[in-house]
Amino acid sequence: MLLASAVVVWEWLNEHGRWRPYSPAVSHHIEAVARAGPRAGGSVVLGQADSRLAPYIIDLQSMHQFRQDTGTIRPVRRSYYDPSSAPGKGVVWEWENDSGTWTPYDMDVGITIQRAYEKQHPWVDLSAIGFCYVIDFATMGQINRQTQRKRRVRRRLDMVYPLVSGTLPKSQSWPASPGAAAAPPVPACTCPQCLLVMSVKATAGPGAATLQPRKAAPAPPATPKPPLPAAGPKAPDGVAVVRGSLKPLAAQGGRRQAASTPALSSAGASGSPPGVGSSKGSRASLGTLNRSHLQRLAIAQSRVLIASGVPTVPVKNLTGSSPVNPALAGITGILMSAAGLPVCLTRPPKLVLHPPPVSKSEIQSIPGISHSCRKTTKKQAKKGKTPEEVLKKYLQKVRHPPDEDCTICMERLSAPSGYKGPQPAIKPDLVGKLVKCSHIFHLHCLVAMYNNGNKDGSLQCPTCKTIYGVKTGTQPPGKMEYHIIPHALPGHADCKTIRIIYNIPPGVQGPEHPNPGKSFTARGFPRHCYLPDSEKGRKVLKLLLVAWDRRLIFAIGTSSTTGESDTVIWNEIHHKTEFGSNLTGHGYPDINYLDNVLAELAAQGITEESLAQEKD
């Protein structure tokens, strides 16, 4: 217990190990049910607060979120933050993802950004909390320090998260209020789910508890959407924590515990109504249901759901075959598996990563493209060229600087450069304008930026990303194979498929990499990628070959999926690695993919003009 005042934020653990916050409205709903105690039934129907979350239920006893249509289970936690921080003021910071929608930052990151914003800092470097991003408040942009890719960010106001004061319970304690069990019960719900529970308990015998009433849930929409995971920073471990200026609570378990199977039952079943008898026996023990009772469960599901007109799917190996509501199929499977009964839901979605087997005689070369394999070549800047000589080609001197900031050092252009690192051999008060985009910077800052980059003779404007010269990357040595296979991609039935195979072995980092001399890993190779063998698909392949030669397809850094550092990662040019499905978002059909990847290649300075340059 902790005497303090705090805002409560409910969070769920995504597949990347990051704790993602529910919205303020959903957190208010969860908190209200948690404070109501056992009389609310111990389950939170998220669709009552947000229709997009209609498939989701939270079990407060085990502190897990359950998706009813797929059976996916994720841990949840109840975290406390300082009331003066972002969630206590209703401030939400979000970044724009690849689909053009907005994704909120993890709560700790949003609080850090808001703190810098309130102190009127021009920017905030998130490397101090372990993330390779800089947030520029002047342009409201997020800049990746490794790739220099920029995304838009925004600050918006929402509801304030629920406030608690006095004695704060631990995150996973439930019920939240000891006296809540004595409150008068609310009327029982008549939705199909509650009718099902009532009928099961009526047939399960005297050992089962009575139905805990709860408010009726609204009908779920036709296409519910799950909470979206972030491709951004990772949250720290620990389930029960206090944020901000509050002291940490005792952690209820780390990531290993969070990944374990949740407890589906609690000891002690009671037939007493709420508020009568021992509070320990207020919940039914689902584990007490035997094989016969589980079979009756399926029969009860059939009768209730058919009568209510809810769509059903068959679940096999019961007493023949019984129809079961998709929203309860996952629950049924868990109960049956716990009792040792085989479960088979009909036609689950399949992940199809690879095409059917292809013989060597069926593989064809690609017309108009010589060879079928290419190895990495490393292009160096011309020797003898100093950074000042390289930049001189792209700059014009400005004798009378405008009254504005240099966006690199954030000092006024009329004042000397604020760069504090190794000092280039150039005066700190000189100012230059880039000839294509006309953006103005301290020459001192541009030289320092060039020295901190790949030093390949090219320059990229830090404001608009215009590329001067030929941009190259730091991709480690490897091999790229490409050919045509006689199978069609979903959405491209009129043509065959171009298959690309990337293979990069592990090795030792060179001077251009983040940690020279240190070994790096290469996970998931060979990586198979797919393009339609159409005119536009072949155009994309030709440009990908240019990107490969310029070492721009991969880089060495920290994986956003696993969190592993010093490993080979994709470098901002998206590839389709799913052949026959699109369950991960990296497959087909995707009508915008070819246009999107052409735009990503152009952002790296690779266009049709690049093909002519490569021939020269």
Side-chain angles (χ1 to χ4, degrees):
M1 295 295 181
L2 182 69
L3 292 174
S5 179
V7 288
V8 174
V9 177
W10 285 83
E11 299 168 308
W12 57 281
L13 187 69
N14 71 8
E15 62 271 25
H16 305 302
R18 295 192 294 270
W19 287 100
R20 305 290 299 129
Y22 291 102
S23 69
V26 174
S27 286
H28 272 277
H29 177 57
I30 301 171
E31 185 67 13
V33 177
R35 292 181 185 180
R39 71 185 178 92
S43 296
V44 187
V45 181
L46 299 188
Q48 292 178 348
D50 187 340
S51 61
R52 296 172 299 174
L53 307 184
Y56 296 91
I57 289 178
I58 289 178
D59 176 53
L60 294 174
Q61 188 72 22
S62 64
M63 290 294 283
H64 281 81
Q65 169 191 279
F66 180 79
R67 178 165 179 164
Q68 300 174 88
D69 53 351
T70 63
T72 304
I73 296 175
R74 300 187 187 278
V76 300
R77 72 179 183 182
R78 184 190 198 193
S79 298
Y80 302 98
Y81 293 87
D82 192 313
S84 64
S85 63
K89 297 178 179 179
V91 175
V92 179
W93 284 91
E94 298 173 318
W95 55 277
E96 187 178 30
N97 58 36
D98 292 336
S99 64
T101 57
W102 294 93
T103 302
Y105 284 97
D106 295 352
M107 192 55 66
D108 288 339
V109 180
I111 289 173
T112 301
I113 298 173
Q114 176 63 15
R115 188 181 299 121
Y117 180 84
E118 291 176 346
K119 292 181 179 179
Q120 298 185 341
H121 291 173
W123 50 270
V124 57
D125 188 346
L126 299 181
S127 60
I129 56 174
F131 308 115
C132 192
Y133 297 103
V134 172
I135 306 298
D136 184 352
F137 295 123
T139 62
M140 289 301 280
Q142 169 191 279
I143 303 169
N144 187 314
R145 293 175 58 123
Q146 289 183 344
T147 65
Q148 295 301 307
R149 180 173 181 178
K150 186 175 182 180
R151 295 181 186 270
R152 291 195 299 163
V153 301
R154 73 177 184 183
R155 177 184 181 269
R156 65 176 180 86
L157 294 179
D158 204 326
M159 295 174 58
V160 175
Y161 278 89
L163 179 69
V164 294
S165 59
T167 301
L168 301 184
K170 289 187 178 180
S171 146
Q172 288 191 318
S173 59
W174 183 88
S177 309
V186 295
C189 176
T190 57
C191 72
Q193 182 179 345
C194 289
L195 290 175
L196 167 64
V197 176
M198 286 168 50
S199 60
V200 170
K201 290 175 178 177
T203 59
T210 58
L211 173 67
Q212 300 290 345
R214 62 177 173 85
K215 294 182 180 180
T223 55
K225 295 181 181 178
L228 297 175
K234 180 184 282 187
D237 290 335
V239 172
V241 289
V242 175
R243 311 293 178 175
S245 62
L246 301 177
K247 295 181 180 180
L249 292 176
Q252 298 295 319
R255 198 163 298 153
R256 182 179 301 175
Q257 178 188 6
S260 63
T261 303
L264 297 179
S265 62
S266 58
S270 171
S272 304
V276 179
S278 171
S279 62
K280 294 182 180 179
S282 62
R283 289 177 55 90
S285 174
L286 297 178
T288 62
L289 294 177
N290 58 25
R291 183 186 182 96
S292 174
H293 291 158
L294 288 168
Q295 289 176 338
R296 290 176 196 164
L297 169 66
I299 296 170
Q301 287 170 327
S302 305
R303 292 173 180 167
V304 172
L305 297 168
I306 290 174
S308 64
V310 178
T312 59
V313 295
V315 173
K316 300 178 181 177
N317 296 326
L318 296 167
T319 52
S321 179
S322 295
V324 177
N325 175 17
L328 297 171
I331 296 176
T332 305
I334 291 175
L335 294 174
M336 293 173 61
S337 297
L341 294 174
V343 178
C344 177
L345 299 182
T346 58
R347 303 193 181 207
K350 273 191 176 181
L351 180 69
V352 183
L353 289 176
H354 302 294
V358 178
S359 64
K360 287 186 178 180
S361 60
E362 294 177 302
I363 294 176
Q364 302 174 1
S365 58
I366 302 171
I369 299 179
S370 59
H371 310 293
S372 61
C373 175
R374 196 166 294 191
K375 294 186 178 181
T376 303
T377 56
K378 182 175 179 180
K379 295 184 177 181
Q380 300 282 3
K382 293 181 180 180
K383 293 183 178 180
K385 291 257 184 176
T386 65
E388 292 80 2
E389 291 173 328
V390 171
L391 298 183
K392 188 177 180 180
K393 299 185 296 182
Y394 311 133
L395 288 169
Q396 294 176 345
K397 286 189 177 180
V398 176
R399 297 188 181 277
H400 303 288
D403 187 25
E404 58 186 49
D405 289 342
C406 169
T407 58
I408 299 177
C409 69
M410 305 308 295
E411 297 289 346
R412 306 301 285 181
L413 289 168
S414 55
S417 167
Y419 177 70
K420 303 300 182 185
Q423 298 298 304
I426 193 169
K427 293 182 180 180
D429 56 350
L430 293 179
V431 174
K433 179 174 71 174
L434 292 171
V435 293
K436 288 184 185 177
C437 63
S438 299
H439 286 117
I440 302 175
F441 307 93
H442 290 117
L443 296 184
H444 198 79
C445 295
L446 285 174
V447 171
M449 186 181 75
Y450 181 84
N451 283 331
N452 288 330
N454 202 23
K455 291 182 276 195
D456 58 358
S458 72
L459 181 71
Q460 188 167 17
C461 174
T463 300
C464 66
K465 306 307 177 189
T466 298
I467 295 173
Y468 295 81
V470 177
K471 179 182 178 181
T472 62
T474 60
Q475 176 180 292
K479 183 170 69 172
M480 175 183 179
E481 300 177 69
Y482 39 93
H483 47 251
I484 296 174
I485 57 175
H487 298 291
L489 293 165
H492 297 276
D494 57 340
C495 61
K496 297 179 181 179
T497 297
I498 298 172
R499 178 168 63 184
I500 305 171
I501 303 175
Y502 294 110
N503 205 347
I504 294 179
V508 177
Q509 298 181 51
E512 73 274 26
H513 294 135
N515 296 297
K518 186 177 180 180
S519 61
F520 66 87
T521 59
R523 310 291 186 192
F525 289 95
R527 298 186 185 181
H528 292 230
C529 308
Y530 305 95
L531 292 168
D533 185 28
S534 60
E535 181 180 354
K536 187 177 282 188
R538 293 184 185 183
K539 175 182 175 181
V540 169
L541 175 64
K542 291 177 182 178
L543 295 179
L544 286 176
L545 288 170
V546 175
W548 175 264
D549 289 341
R550 294 183 183 180
R551 305 174 70 206
L552 291 169
I553 301 286
F554 296 97
I556 294 177
T558 300
S559 169
S560 61
T561 304
T562 65
E564 181 182 11
S565 59
D566 298 303
T567 191
V568 179
I569 58 175
W570 292 105
N571 187 35
E572 304 296 338
I573 301 175
H574 286 82
H575 286 64
K576 292 294 188 182
T577 54
E578 241 181 294
F579 174 80
S581 58
N582 196 17
L583 297 185
T584 66
H586 302 301
Y588 294 91
D590 185 343
I591 59 174
N592 297 317
Y593 169 65
L594 295 178
D595 291 328
N596 289 343
V597 75
L598 286 172
E600 290 173 343
L601 286 162
Q604 301 285 351
I606 300 174
T607 61
E608 289 187 83
E609 296 177 359
S610 306
L611 299 175
Q613 292 176 2
E614 292 297 310
K615 289 179 182 178
D616 296 341

